[in-house]
Amino acid sequence: MTNLVEMIPYARFLGVAVERVDGAVQCVLPFREEIVGNQRLPAIHGGVLGAFLELTAFLRLLDESGSTDRIPRPINFSVDYLRSAGPAATTARAEIFKLGRRIANVHVVAWQQDQKRPVAYGNGKFLL
Amino acid sequence: MSSDKTATEKQYALASIFGPGRDELIDHTPHARHLGIRVVRTGPCEAVLKLPYRAELVGDPTRGVVFGGAITTLLDHASGLAAACAMETFQAIATVDLRVDYLRAAAPGLDLYGYVRCYKMTKNVAFIRGVAYEHDPEDPFASCQGTLMVGANPTASPFTRFNDEGTGETSG
């Protein structure tokens, strides 16, 4: 899975690390100045959080299929911003809500220090 | 998605800087600077941004196609700016949700544009929709729809500095 991140320039660009917790892929987005969207708070750029959620959903699906022969393609991705994400590492975990023959529906939650206080929630549909 | 009549009659907080290429509108955002995002144009309730093509934004190395998340970032940023361009007084903005539809793969190796319009602004909520394209907004590769919360506290708004400077005129 780490090799996979190495293959995706955008994932490398964000510095995303992949780990496996309780059998499922979990991603970590380290904090750095370049991902700040609002300097006054400061808060991580909403677009970066959305991208990170989408990446996590994508990697979860790839891991599930166990093959890179067929790359899932996103149909759409929706992000709910629940609270502002401060200057700290962000973790995201995806669950495959429905794995159909052609379409997968994936839910993703991201949090910082406290898993019970999520910063963003994502839902994506992917063409398999 | 052209300006309607009521839109042109309103007084906008950022009206004095509407027009082409006001990059100072996003230069205070480290991530936008990092990606090299530029402002193409702002106007009443709308914004057009450009994301210059860079190899590191690619999501699919075999096809050279930019990762969907980078498009989310472009559209998210344009959404915030479009909502700011719809405000009559300076207020903080926070994105509540954003949905991006990937209509087709973006053409590899090209600069990408995001055009977002705030089609309804209420006391508390801004409603936006927009498209991302390479050449023509009528032939987009992605579209988006979202809502932003408009707060009463201007201190967190990066746009207040335009107000701090009096008439909204900037020194760049």
Side-chain angles (χ1 to χ4, degrees):
Chain A
M1 226 0 97
T2 306
N3 294 342
L4 205 60
V5 170
E6 286 300 311
M7 274 170 55
I8 305 172
Y10 189 79
R12 264 202 325 259
F13 177 65
L14 288 181
V16 169
V18 182
E19 49 195 41
R20 192 174 291 278
V21 179
D22 301 330
V25 160
Q26 201 162 283
C27 293
V28 179
L29 173 72
F31 179 79
R32 59 195 174 112
E33 179 64 20
E34 288 79 17
I35 63 169
V36 167
N38 185 326
Q39 271 177 316
R40 292 194 182 212
L41 292 174
I44 296 175
H45 196 287
V48 173
L49 276 182
F52 173 58
L53 287 173
E54 187 174 328
L55 183 70
T56 304
F58 175 74
L59 292 175
R60 176 77 173 84
L61 271 178
L62 267 189
D63 186 53
E64 183 74 17
S65 76
S67 149
T68 52
D69 293 346
R70 292 184 67 182
I71 305 289
R73 283 181 296 157
I75 300 167
N76 59 44
F77 200 84
S78 169
V79 184
D80 285 319
Y81 296 97
L82 305 173
R83 41 176 69 84
S84 81
T90 310
T91 306
R93 189 178 170 88
E95 302 297 338
I96 300 172
F97 200 59
K98 163 83 194 287
L99 187 62
R101 215 158 42 82
R102 301 182 62 198
I103 291 179
N105 188 325
V106 186
H107 291 199
V108 202
V109 179
W111 68 91
Q112 293 193 310
Q113 293 84 357
D114 185 355
Q115 193 166 357
K116 292 193 188 72
R117 289 173 57 81
V119 292
Y121 167 81
N123 172 233
K125 266 74 87 183
F126 292 82
L127 199 60
L128 300 172
Chain B
M1 290 200 280
S2 63
S3 305
D4 56 35
K5 190 159 183 288
T6 50
T8 55
E9 287 161 356
K10 280 187 185 165
Q11 291 296 312
Y12 295 100
L14 288 176
S16 63
I17 53 165
F18 284 165
R22 302 298 295 251
D23 286 332
E24 65 267 37
L25 280 169
I26 56 165
D27 274 348
H28 54 78
T29 307
H31 187 64
R33 229 170 28 224
H34 189 64
L35 290 180
I37 289 179
R38 306 320 295 166
V39 177
V40 175
R41 168 171 63 83
T42 54
C45 309
E46 63 182 27
V48 183
L49 301 184
K50 172 173 144 180
L51 175 68
Y53 179 80
R54 290 165 72 168
E56 60 207 28
L57 295 180
V58 165
D60 181 345
T62 57
R63 294 189 299 162
V65 173
V66 169
F67 183 66
I71 295 155
T72 303
T73 302
L74 173 68
L75 289 171
D76 180 87
H77 209 81
S79 302
L81 192 51
C85 289
M87 292 190 298
E88 293 179 76
T89 56
F90 290 98
Q91 294 184 84
I93 308 167
T95 311
V96 176
D97 62 32
L98 181 71
R99 168 190 163 131
V100 178
D101 285 290
Y102 299 105
L103 310 175
R104 60 175 169 83
L110 295 181
D111 295 344
L112 308 179
Y113 294 86
Y115 166 48
V116 174
R117 182 163 172 78
C118 176
Y119 63 96
K120 178 68 180 173
M121 173 70 94
T122 70
K123 190 159 169 278
N124 300 302
V125 183
F127 297 87
I128 63 90
R129 58 185 165 221
V131 288
Y133 57 94
E134 307 94 338
H135 300 292
D136 180 4
E138 296 297 318
D139 179 28
F141 59 80
S143 61
C144 74
Q145 173 110 25
T147 51
L148 298 92
M149 191 174 62
V150 180
N153 172 16
T155 55
S157 170
F159 298 107
T160 51
R161 70 189 187 92
F162 295 106
N163 205 27
D164 296 342
E165 288 158 16
T167 60
E169 288 294 322
T170 64
S171 51

